[in-house]
Structure formats: structure tokens, C-alpha cells
């Protein structure tokens, strides 16, 4: 039974899909006025992990994520850069999608953009006006917060306490009551056009949608109401998600979504990473020197709802932790390719039992509100058990099936975190530099790193057979410079990565 923590009920609840076997989920996307930072990435990776786990558990997941491509921040950036708001949005939408691909985040099933969904938003605003939940004022349209009795139910705020803390500013940017609103709590669902700003025709004159209305319109259009899961970063609970509920439930008279899931903030020096504080690291800059698998590993080591403190030290620890997993996979791959003796030395029934135990610990941890840290703990325990077994014996070809089962299980479970443990080991095993090294030392003529290493080992074996120790030492030294060590074993020489 999968349990999820629902922000609205403040408790873990069994996840019961509205339609058996199917989950419909919506996760708020970015406002595209800059490259995303690793805090934004943490939220998107968290929901990617949740989606992958639900799929792995056999659920058919429909995932919708919007792109906010019209907004004050985009217009401001366009003015600063002397280009159009649509140019800014196009540039950073593409950059966002490229960044998500670089991070291995699965594409949503639908990625609606605000600017191409204006008719759905106009329909929703009209419905709110028709049902007296919104009113027109000088070309703007405002949602009347007090018309929705349950306002505050997600963020657990009392409507009468909100008055002073409300963040809305007057149109001229000065804090205080905007005279166009009937009540200071009311928020814009449609904004009258200003000169030089993008706008669309509407029954209330030219204008553009408010931010919150976008998600209400798009989730209804692509998922229908109610849908199962709504997600986003914890900083969106108020006012964004509170306003989404108010708009959707007021307009359609039905529950908006069944479970509200929120990911914790990524912090740097105990402070939330944000564009406004200026303490951000762009995802693309971090990925220039770190593999996406290592960054994901760092993220998965902390529960998705907890704050995550980012530091270079923690990134290095994550790399070392991932290395423990990929080293075992490399070791198995090597044994698989080289082991020769005919007698099986591993107890295959015992290995099968260990695999089964890992699978059930993994499910138990992940069913408990996606506890990736505990699930990883189970994987690490298993990896060290297998390493211990392997250090006591010299496995043979007849252990093939047990070892491949171990490798495939690890790769499968790490895949739920979006980490390709199999590919990481291949990448780490032999850098392309070995090709040049083999060309120079062993006369190798191809371009395959694995074949290059094999050529170097063959050259070394040949040199030793001819007592040309200068050459055999040179092979060892050149591989050493690339971080590799040659080990001579009963099955022949092989190369391990020393770092
Ligand atoms: P924005 O483009 O600012 O709307 O942010 C896109 C997503 O990133 C939202 O779901 C935010 O909640 C999330 N987000 C922003 N800052 C952080 C952070 N420091 N840690 C985690 N998520 C964040
Ligand atoms: Zn939203």
C-alpha cells in the first residue's frame, strides 16, 4: 500500500487512485525568464522520482506540467534585454527542456504553455464572474477570496489573519490596498493590458491572464476534475496553490485534487536557494562539472519533503556513494566477461533470497511516502553484502546467472531514482583518453575504449612473455596516469579504476 503525505490533511494517507490502476498528476512548471537553478531542479527531480516509482509499481501515470511563458518577470527581462517577451520565453523554455533532458527528467505527457491556452483561461474567468466569485474592475478581473468559504484550507491559514500579510502590491508597485480591489485579499485572475505588453482580446478588454488561473485552467483541460495528485515546491503552497483550489472549486463545484504533495527547499548555507536572494547555482553550471547521476544521488539521499542542504562536500560524498554501487557493477561485468573455472562457488539460492529481501525493503521504504533515503540504505546494505561474498570466493562462469540477477536488480532499482547505474559504470570505466594511450603504446588503431584497454593488456602480456619489462612497465604507468591500476588474478590481468 502506497502512502503519501498530503499537505492539506497534514497526514500520510493511502494513495487510492480515482480510477483503478491510473494516476493523473499535475506539477507546476517554471516561469521561463532565466535558466533554472538546482533548487528548481530539486523539485522537478523529486516529482520525476515520484512519477517513476508509481509507474514502476504498475500504475499508468498521466503527468501534466505547464510552462508559464507570460508573466511580469518575463516582461521585465525583455525590457532589460531590449527584446520581446516572447523571445525571452522561447529562449528559456528551450533551455528548460534541454536542462530537464540533461538531468534525465522524463518529458510530461502534456506540456501546455500559458500563451497557447488563453481561451481555456478566458472560459474559466467568465465562469467565475457568472457565479459571482470574480468581478471586473477597470479591465482587470479579481477573484473574490471571501466568496470561497474554504479559502485557507491547504495552507491552514485563517482568512482574518491574512489581511496584513498579503503580498499583493498596487499596480504601481507600492504596498497597500489597490483601489481596484473590493477587498485586499482578492487577487487578479485577468490583468488589463498595459502599453507595450503582450495582450489578448477578452470580454473585459485586452489583457493577460494572472499566474494562478493558468494552472486551474490547464489541469482541468488536460486531466479533468478531480485529479489525483497536485505537486510543486513547498514555497507554492501559499498563495499559488491556495488560489488554484479556490478558483477551480468555486468555478466547478467539485474537488480540485485529492492529494497535495510538496517538495522541500534546496538550501545553501541554510538559506533557501532563490533567484531573488542571488545565492543560486544554475543547473547547467553544476552539470558542467558533475554528472546528473551524482546530482540525483545527492537529492535522493534526503527525503523529498525535507530541506536539502547543498554543498560541494555533500556532492563529493554523493559521488563516492554512487561509486560504491557502480564499482560493484563494474566488478560483476568484469567477472562476467572473464571468469572461467567451471564450478559454481556462489550459493545461488542465497543470492536469490538476498535479492528478494532487497526488493521488499525497497518497496517498503518507497511505499512510505517515497522514502528514497531508506531505499538507498537498503541498496547499500545489499551492495556491501555482495562485495563481502565476492571477496571470499573467485566466482566462475557458472555463477553468471546469480551475478547478472544482482546487477540487473541494482540497475532496475536505481532506475526508479532516474540514475543509470549501468551506464555510469561504463562511462567511468574507461575514458576516451585510453584510446590515444593504446594507439601510442600498443599500436591500437580503433576508437573503442574497451578494445583499447584490451589491446594495452595484450601488449603488456606479450612484453612480459618476451621479458621486455620496460614496455610492460610503461603500459602500467600510462594506465596509472589515467587513474587505472592493473590487477593480476587467476583469470588474467584486469584493470580497475583507482580514481
Ligand atoms: P518558479 O519558476 O520560481 O515558479 O519555480 C519553479 C519550481 O521550483 C516551483 O515548483 C518552486 O516551488 C521550485 N523551487 C524554487 N526554489 C526552490 C528551492 N530553493 N528548492 C526547491 N524547489 C524550489
Ligand atoms: Zn501552478
Amino acid at each position: 500500500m502506497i502512502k503519501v503525505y498530503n499537505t492539506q490533511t497534514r497526514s500520510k494517507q493511502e494513495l487510492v487512485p480515482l480510477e483503478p490502476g491510473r494516476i493523473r498528476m499535475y506539477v507546476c512548471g517554471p516561469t521561463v525568464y532565466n535558466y533554472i537553478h538546482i533548487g528548481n531542479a530539486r523539485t522537478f527531480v523529486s516529482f520525476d522520482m515520484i512519477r517513476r516509482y508509481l509507474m514502476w509499481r504498475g500504475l499508468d501515470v498521466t503527468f501534466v506540467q505547464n510552462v508559464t511563458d507570460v508573466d511580469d518577470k518575463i516582461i521585465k527581462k525583455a525590457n532589460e534585454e531590449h527584446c520581446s517577451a516572447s523571445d525571452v520565453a522561447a529562449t528559456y523554455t528551450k533551455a528548460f527542456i534541454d536542462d530537464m533532458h540533461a538531468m534525465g527528467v522524463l518529458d510530461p505527457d502534456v506540456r501546455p504553455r500559458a500563451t497557447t491556452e488563453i481561451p481555456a483561461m478566458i472560459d474559466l474567468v467568465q465562469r467565475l464572474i457568472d457565479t459571482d466569485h470574480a468581478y471586473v474592475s477597470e479591465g482587470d478581473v479579481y477573484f473574490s477570496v471571501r466568496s470561497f468559504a474554504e479559502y485557507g484550507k491547504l495552507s491552514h491559514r485563517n482568512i482574518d489573519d491574512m489581511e496584513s500579510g498579503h503580498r499583493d502590491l498596487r499596480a504601481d508597485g507600492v504596498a497597500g490596498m489597490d483601489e481596484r480591489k473590493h477587498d485586499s485579499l482578492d487577487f487578479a485572475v485577468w490583468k488589463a493590458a498595459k502599453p507595450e505588453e503582450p495582450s489578448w482580446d477578452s470580454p473585459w478588454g485586452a489583457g493577460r491572464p494572472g499566474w494562478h488561473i493558468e494552472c486551474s485552467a490547464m489541469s482541468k483541460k488536460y486531466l479533468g476534475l478531480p485529479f489525483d495528485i497536485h505537486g510543486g515546491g513547498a514555497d507554492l503552497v501559499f498563495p499559488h496553490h491556495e488560489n488554484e483550489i479556490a478558483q477551480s472549486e468555486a468555478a466547478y463545484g467539485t474537488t480540485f485534487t485529492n492529494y497535495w504533495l510538496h517538495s522541500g527547499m534546496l538550501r545553501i548555507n541554510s538559506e533557501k536557494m532563490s533567484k531573488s536572494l542571488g545565492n543560486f547555482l544554475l543547473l547547467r553550471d553544476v552539470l558542467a562539472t558533475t554528472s546528473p547521476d551524482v546530482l540525483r544521488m545527492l537529492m535522493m539521499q534526503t527525503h523529498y519533503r525535507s530541506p536539502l542542504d547543498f554543498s560541494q562536500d555533500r556532492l563529493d560524498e554523493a559521488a563516492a556513494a554512487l561509486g560504491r554501487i557502480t564499482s560493484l557493477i563494474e566488478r560483476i561485468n568484469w567477472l562476467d566477461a572473464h571468469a572461467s573455472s567451471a564450478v559454481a562457488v556462489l550459493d545461488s539460492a542465497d543470492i536469490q533470497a538476498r535479492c528478494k529481501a532487497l526488493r521488499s525493503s525497497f518497496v517498503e521504504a518507497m511505499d512510505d511516502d517515497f522514502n528514497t533515503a531508506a531505499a538507498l540504505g537498503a541498496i547499500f546494505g545489499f551492495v556491501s553484502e555482495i562485495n563481502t561474498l565476492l571477496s571470499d570466493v573467485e566466482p566462475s562462469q557458472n555463477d553468471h546467472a546469480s551475478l547478472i540477477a544482482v546487477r540487473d536488480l541494482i540497475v532496475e532499482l536505481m532506475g526508479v531514482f532516474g540514475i543509470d547505474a549501468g551506464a555510469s559504470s561504463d562511462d567511468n570505466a574507461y575514458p576516451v583518453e585510453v584510446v590515444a594511450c593504446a594507439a601510442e603504446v600498443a599500436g591500437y588503431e580503433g576508437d573503442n575504449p574497451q578494445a583499447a584497454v584490451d589491446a594495452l593488456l595484450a601488449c603488456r602480456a606479450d612484453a612480459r612473455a618476451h621479458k621486455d619489462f620496460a614496455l610492460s612497465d610503461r603500459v602500467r604507468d600510462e594506465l596509472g596516469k589515467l587513474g587505472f591500476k592493473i590487477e593480476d588474478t587467476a583469470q588474467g590481468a584486469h584493470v580497475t579504476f583507482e580514481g
Side-chain angles (χ1 to χ4, degrees):
M1 174 172 75
I2 303 175
K3 283 187 158 186
V4 299
Y5 183 88
N6 183 351
T7 309
Q8 187 169 336
T9 59
R10 287 179 165 166
S11 62
K12 276 187 202 164
Q13 291 173 265
E14 181 182 354
L15 178 67
V16 184
L18 283 154
E19 197 184 310
R22 187 157 176 224
I23 288 288
R24 288 175 292 142
M25 68 189 284
Y26 183 94
V27 176
C28 299
T31 304
V32 281
Y33 70 102
N34 200 343
Y35 297 114
I36 61 160
H37 58 63
I38 54 173
N40 306 130
R42 194 232 179 160
T43 287
F44 299 132
V45 166
S46 296
F47 286 98
D48 184 59
M49 171 276 291
I50 289 172
R51 176 190 190 185
R52 285 171 187 264
Y53 182 65
L54 296 177
M55 287 162 62
W56 185 79
R57 288 286 261 122
L59 290 154
D60 175 6
V61 181
T62 306
F63 189 101
V64 177
Q65 180 169 64
N66 66 312
V67 170
T68 302
D69 61 354
V70 56
D71 173 90
D72 291 340
K73 293 181 220 135
I74 298 172
I75 295 168
K76 185 165 170 267
K77 177 94 170 192
N79 291 337
E80 284 163 12
E81 303 207 338
H82 308 292
C83 61
S84 70
S86 62
D87 287 344
V88 170
T91 303
Y92 293 108
T93 300
K94 180 175 181 308
F96 168 66
I97 294 172
D98 288 347
D99 284 352
M100 289 293 93
H101 289 169
M103 202 54 205
V105 172
L106 300 174
D107 281 329
D109 296 294
V110 192
R111 192 183 331 256
R113 296 169 195 209
T115 53
T116 54
E117 303 289 340
I118 304 289
M121 294 183 228
I122 291 179
D123 278 357
L124 174 52
V125 172
Q126 187 62 57
R127 195 181 255 267
L128 289 170
I129 295 172
D130 294 345
T131 53
D132 286 334
H133 288 294
Y135 55 90
V136 185
S137 180
E138 297 175 31
D140 289 344
V141 182
Y142 292 96
F143 183 88
S144 165
V145 166
R146 288 184 191 276
S147 77
F148 183 65
E150 293 174 82
Y151 194 82
K153 69 178 173 180
L154 176 69
S155 54
H156 305 98
R157 291 171 192 232
N158 182 317
I159 204 163
D160 295 316
D161 299 337
M162 285 179 204
E163 209 83 48
S164 54
H166 207 263
R167 76 168 189 181
D168 264 8
L169 299 177
R170 276 182 3 210
D172 55 10
V174 178
M177 173 71 180
D178 188 321
E179 54 287 350
R180 286 169 301 181
K181 293 184 187 182
H182 295 175
D183 187 309
S184 67
L185 291 178
D186 296 349
F187 58 88
V189 288
W190 185 263
K191 300 178 178 183
K194 291 193 200 131
E196 313 284 320
E197 286 189 2
S199 65
W200 289 263
D201 286 338
S202 81
W204 324 288
R208 62 187 166 95
W211 172 35
H212 317 299
I213 202 76
E214 201 184 299
C215 294
S216 286
M218 295 185 193
S219 54
K220 158 89 163 59
K221 178 167 169 187
Y222 292 104
L223 293 173
L225 297 189
F227 54 94
D228 298 285
I229 296 177
H230 193 314
D235 57 339
L236 298 188
V237 171
F238 187 85
H240 184 54
H241 290 162
E242 197 69 64
N243 290 353
E244 284 187 31
I245 301 181
Q247 295 163 154
S248 299
E249 297 195 352
Y252 301 110
T254 168
T255 302
F256 180 44
T257 186
N258 276 354
Y259 305 92
W260 279 99
L261 270 52
H262 289 102
S263 56
M265 292 295 106
L266 183 142
R267 309 190 297 200
I268 215 157
N269 300 327
S270 306
E271 237 181 356
K272 177 190 168 191
M273 178 171 286
S274 76
K275 285 171 194 156
S276 54
L277 289 173
N279 61 349
F280 59 89
L281 292 169
L282 295 181
L283 174 62
R284 49 185 54 211
D285 290 344
V286 173
L287 290 186
T289 54
T290 306
S291 88
D293 284 340
V294 168
L295 185 54
R296 275 192 183 248
M297 187 72 182
L298 168 72
M299 292 175 176
M300 296 302 139
Q301 284 172 325
T302 301
H303 189 274
Y304 79 94
R305 276 193 292 118
S306 304
L308 187 155
D309 286 301
F310 179 85
S311 68
Q312 186 58 45
D313 284 352
R314 290 207 60 200
L315 202 56
D316 294 343
E317 280 162 31
L322 182 59
R324 285 207 292 284
I325 294 174
T326 54
S327 301
L328 174 60
I329 290 177
E330 277 168 34
R331 190 168 182 185
I332 291 175
N333 285 343
W334 189 85
L335 289 167
D336 185 37
H338 298 89
S340 59
S341 131
V343 187
V345 290
L346 293 173
D347 177 348
S348 62
D350 171 60
I351 298 222
Q352 243 174 43
R354 288 175 198 267
C355 287
K356 201 167 158 216
L358 171 60
R359 215 173 252 286
S360 65
S361 314
F362 180 87
V363 170
E364 194 186 329
M366 293 294 284
D367 271 4
D368 183 14
D369 194 31
F370 315 105
N371 192 340
T372 52
L376 270 175
I379 294 175
F380 284 124
F382 175 80
V383 165
S384 48
E385 283 172 26
I386 300 290
N387 272 326
T388 308
L389 288 179
L390 289 178
S391 64
D392 292 346
V393 295
E394 200 67 64
S396 76
Q397 279 297 329
N398 286 356
D399 295 312
H400 178 97
S402 307
L403 289 174
I404 296 302
V406 164
R407 182 188 71 191
D408 290 352
L409 177 60
I410 296 173
V411 170
E412 177 188 341
L413 301 185
M414 293 301 287
V416 174
F417 303 142
I419 296 175
D420 193 346
S424 302
S425 66
D426 289 348
D427 292 347
N428 293 342
Y430 304 120
V432 286
E433 287 86 346
V434 297
V435 171
C437 170
E440 196 183 318
V441 181
Y444 172 69
E445 289 179 346
D447 61 3
N448 179 320
Q450 172 69 54
V453 168
D454 290 344
L456 283 165
L457 291 178
C459 167
R460 175 173 172 268
D462 195 48
R464 286 163 68 137
H466 293 93
K467 303 211 176 332
D468 181 353
F469 297 115
L471 179 58
S472 68
D473 287 354
R474 186 161 171 233
V475 171
R476 183 197 61 205
D477 295 345
E478 292 295 328
L479 277 169
K481 283 187 207 158
L482 296 174
F484 291 93
K485 189 173 151 215
I486 300 177
E487 273 179 13
D488 291 297
T489 74
Q491 285 85 32
H494 75 106
V495 169
T496 54
F497 187 61
E498 293 285 286

